[in-house]
Amino acid sequence: MTQQDEQPGQEGLSERDQAVLAVERRGWPGPGAKERAIREQLGLSPTRYYQLLNALLDDPRALAHDPVTVNRLRRRRDAQRERR
């Protein structure tokens, strides 16, 4: 990622943040394909990707950018927390 990728887009999210949400929006046949795409498309380790994604779920700009994806992921995160 370049420093330009960190710059806010039209809605205040960086290009990288928008790309993270775009990866999450897609359907994946399995975890291997998704992790490969994370490395190849974003240049991030899966661990770093999920750290960024988790932070995005609490960012109101992410909710404004992609409410369907963010709300789906928030529900899934909340359900996982309740099971613990």
Side-chain angles (χ1 to χ4, degrees):
M1 294 275 133
T2 65
Q3 198 168 27
Q4 180 182 6
D5 294 328
E6 302 290 331
Q7 298 300 316
Q10 344 172 256
E11 295 153 1
L13 287 178
S14 69
E15 289 179 24
R16 181 189 65 193
D17 291 346
Q18 291 179 35
V20 166
L21 290 173
V23 166
E24 204 56 40
R25 194 176 317 126
R26 287 186 54 192
W28 297 98
K34 183 177 180 179
E35 288 182 3
R36 192 168 36 258
I38 290 167
R39 290 184 189 281
E40 292 173 3
Q41 294 174 14
L42 303 176
L44 297 170
S45 72
T47 300
R48 181 66 181 139
Y49 169 84
Y50 287 109
Q51 289 171 341
L52 292 170
L53 178 61
N54 195 47
L56 279 172
L57 296 183
D58 297 322
D59 188 332
R61 296 171 300 168
L63 182 61
H65 176 75
D66 191 346
V68 173
T69 301
V70 171
N71 282 324
R72 175 177 53 85
L73 294 170
R74 283 179 175 179
R75 284 190 303 273
R76 189 171 73 191
R77 180 179 68 178
D78 292 345
Q80 287 174 342
R81 285 181 178 168
E82 287 178 15
R83 284 192 294 261
R84 292 182 188 166

